[in-house]
Amino acid sequence: MSERILGYTDRLSAVPGDAVNFKISAPLAGKFKARLIRLICGDDSPEGPGFKAENIDSEIDGIYPARQQRIMAGSYVWVTARQPFDLLNFTVQAMIWPTLPGNGKPQAILGNYDAATGSGYALYVDETGCLAFRAGHNARSRPVSNCWGAIGTKSTRSSIPAPAASRIGHNMMLAYHGMAASRQPDRDAGRADRRGRPFPDRRLERRQVRDRPFQRQDRQPARLGRALKPAEVERLRELPLDVELAQYVVAAWDFSRGMSTVKVTDVSGNRYHGRTINLPTRAMTGWNWDPSDFSWQSKPDQYGAVHFHDDDLYDCGWRTDFTLTVPADLKSGIYCAHIWQKTRGWRQDRGLRPVLRAAGTRDRDGALSVPGADGELFSLMPTSRWSPAGGSMNLSSGKFATMGLVDQYLEEHESFGLSVYDEHTDGSGVCYSSHLRPILNMRPKTDLWQFNADTHLTDWLEKKKIPYDVITDDDLHAEGVECLRPYRCVMTGTHPEYYSKAMLDALQAFTNGGGRLMYMGANGFYWRIAYHAGMPGVIEHRRAEDGMRAWFSESGEYFMSFTGEMSGLWARNGRPPNMLVGNAFAAQGFVNAVPYHRTPESQDVRVSFMFEGIGAEEVIGDFGTVGGGAAGWEIDRADTQAGDAAPCADRGGGAPISRTPITG
Amino acid sequence: MLKIDPASAQSAELAAQFKAAPFGPYSADLQKMLQLLRWGFARGRTIIVCTQPYKEWRLGRMGPQRGMKVEIDDSAEVFSDYGAAAWACFRARWQEVVGQPCPVK
């Protein structure tokens, strides 16, 4: 299928004065046009309310030179020291857990090999699954897959022996998938582009030698300044370094340090520190993990593993094509850049990446303040749900697997980054998801799920002329309840499923203080996530213990690397959704949707105001574009035995359920 | 273990039920049959591919791994109705799961 105009912004939410940078990749040579639109409804389906948007005059209106920008997926560790190693004899040791050996692609473990010049070295798993070492000569040895293995090689001036691999017997260790790569500084390490990335020749080298790694790698891949005897290698397997041999160690990376960061620490004292690129998964159980503790904070020395994937992606790092400085008079709402290119007689045109303007302004320190509400209602856009689901293909929800154009494009292009619903190529679950990449289903004119479904709410608010402001989950996490206080009512999006503790605390404080909360979906407040304190635009999630899961976290890996908090269900973290909204997720998969019927409890004076204008016997929601009714695909239930109030509406004698007519 | 018995009159009856109302509501037995035909990994089996939004669907197949072209048989029937595509997919999946053609045409 034809290539698409792709793009993303560096932020999802902005207030007047904020600069929003748009990064565009246009498939056709020449130019592209851009303009700003205010999105009312993104549903262009024949049965829906129709696509509705307003053109907004802005500084981004114009014609721009088109260029294609690449996505470089794949995680690794980049050692940033500028001084090259200059060793004639050395030993390399690492603990690895190969998950896809022999997949036809070389998978680097450690090295600085430059394919263009043939210089340097690389310890890697080759295309056939053999452990290999390259330094002008090649040597191979067969490693064992899906178990921890101590691997190493030693190189002397006169000979390059085959690298050694031995299986570490560990009865408590479950088979796991993973990958690793590490990079040594070299003579070209100081040469890099503006993003600190290597020049193309190095990318080529990386692609050939390191870009396809599929191992989990444990801490201390060590390089030593002389060739060691096997017994000495054994003594250097654990940290802290053996006192007698430490003097020979050139570099030893301890992955258990700086777990919440991108830092990789060299504990040799020689400062060959590194950083992770594209967020490989940290806080993974190491080769020496035993189930004596499940938190990496308690026993970090047993969590020295990093799981590298060839499809990890944090920030595409594209160059900015144009910038919008949010004007003071811009009304709160959902905004998109509309991009198009001319081609033979017709125009490709795409609505790109929303920018949601929160009400309020930023002070000089960048803090958001909301001095007065433009509207009485705050519409809370579940960006923490959009990103985790972003790029995920939802093919078979209550129907025969059906692939739309976006799904097809994602299927045929493997490097767009993943959602936390996906599995990596080696079958391990995706823990991190970022919006600093093109997300093809976070845009109008897509399926009625997540972002596009939420525009039904803005359409309804506009139609009913209800004044409202818009805020995002990201804002709620950063600003807390203070950004909600000016409002009498907060309305969620259609699927507010992923919540950080700060977000949940904010909503709970809002309702405890008398604020009204309209819960517009089901399956809400379900999973616990974490935002990164220093890296914008990314969330972490572990699918711990139980729940309706696309994949499941391995034992010992329930605690998030970003914060050290246990992930999984909020219900397993002492904060069931019932505490906030009086019901909780019960089931999913119902193709047909049905309406609600009022119950006697709806006459209670405390809630009857919600039913003004609705007859006592009137059916609520016996229509809709998804399933033909209000309650369907995913449903909640009020659990009166757990203390939930009796429902005000139920599904006509069936189990009391709550369901939005929107999400489908 | 739940299986589709191709010789059973009930199986044919359930297939006819689906043909008559591809979007339901489904009887309990038809739901069980659909579990067998629809759920699980989509890769490697017949799926529906929307080739024009809201207007055109075809049957296709995903490649063995992501990054590969979605196979669409251009000579196969083009559907202008999603329900008709769902019925065609039902019959294709029946063949794949049961190993015999669906008795309902």
Side-chain angles (χ1 to χ4, degrees), chain A residues 44 401-403 410-411 592, chain B residues 23 43 48 50 54 66-67 82:
Chain A
D44 63 342
T402 302
M403 183 170 273
L410 288 172
E411 167 67 12
N592 305 112
Chain B
F23 306 121
R43 198 169 294 287
I48 302 169
C50 178
Y54 315 116
R66 192 169 170 181
Y82 181 64

Side-chain angles (χ1 to χ4, degrees), chain A residues 255-300:
Chain A
F255 293 163
S256 72
R257 297 195 183 195
M259 198 79 86
S260 301
T261 73
V262 297
K263 297 175 182 172
V264 173
T265 303
D266 171 20
V267 296
S268 73
N270 295 322
R271 297 186 178 183
Y272 286 112
H273 303 307
R275 59 188 169 92
T276 62
I277 306 295
N278 275 337
L279 286 176
T281 312
R282 302 190 76 162
M284 297 274 102
T285 52
W287 68 277
N288 56 346
W289 179 76
D290 64 46
S292 58
D293 208 304
F294 278 56
S295 168
W296 59 265
Q297 289 182 301
S298 300
K299 291 194 173 176

Side-chain angles (χ1 to χ4, degrees), chain B residues 18-90:
Chain B
F18 184 85
K19 182 182 180 183
F23 306 121
Y26 308 131
S27 67
D29 286 332
L30 179 53
Q31 286 187 40
K32 291 174 186 172
M33 177 180 282
L34 289 173
Q35 293 281 358
L36 292 172
L37 298 177
R38 295 198 303 209
W39 282 87
F41 292 104
R43 198 169 294 287
R45 68 190 200 192
T46 300
I47 61 170
I48 302 169
V49 181
C50 178
T51 43
Q52 281 191 45
Y54 315 116
K55 291 180 181 172
E56 183 182 287
W57 295 265
R58 296 164 188 255
L59 298 188
R61 195 179 295 270
M62 297 161 77
Q65 63 190 41
R66 192 169 170 181
M68 303 181 72
K69 194 165 177 57
V70 176
E71 297 172 25
I72 300 174
D73 184 356
D74 290 334
S75 64
E77 188 172 359
V78 179
F79 302 96
S80 59
D81 173 65
Y82 181 64
W87 169 239
C89 194
F90 181 103

Side-chain angles (χ1 to χ4, degrees), chain A residues 85-168:
Chain A
F85 291 126
D86 187 13
L87 304 171
L88 293 177
N89 306 322
F90 60 87
T91 299
V92 176
Q93 179 176 214
M95 303 291 290
I96 66 167
W97 178 286
T99 56
L100 283 177
N103 70 336
K105 300 170 183 175
Q107 306 166 29
I109 298 161
L110 186 75
N112 64 353
Y113 188 77
D114 186 338
T117 63
S119 63
Y121 74 95
L123 180 64
Y124 65 106
V125 178
D126 74 7
E127 297 88 334
T128 65
C130 285
L131 193 61
F133 183 74
R134 174 180 293 178
H137 302 277
N138 293 327
R140 300 195 305 174
S141 174
R142 179 75 64 183
V144 182
S145 65
N146 284 317
C147 74
W148 283 112
I151 59 159
T153 189
K154 60 180 179 181
S155 172
T156 65
R157 183 192 292 259
S158 59
S159 68
I160 300 178
S166 63
R167 182 173 182 159
I168 304 296

Side-chain angles (χ1 to χ4, degrees), chain A residues 310-326:
Chain A
D310 66 345
D311 47 9
D312 281 327
L313 180 64
Y314 165 54
D315 181 355
C316 285
W318 285 359
R319 285 174 288 177
T320 297
D321 290 273
F322 54 87
T323 299
L324 171 71
T325 301
V326 180

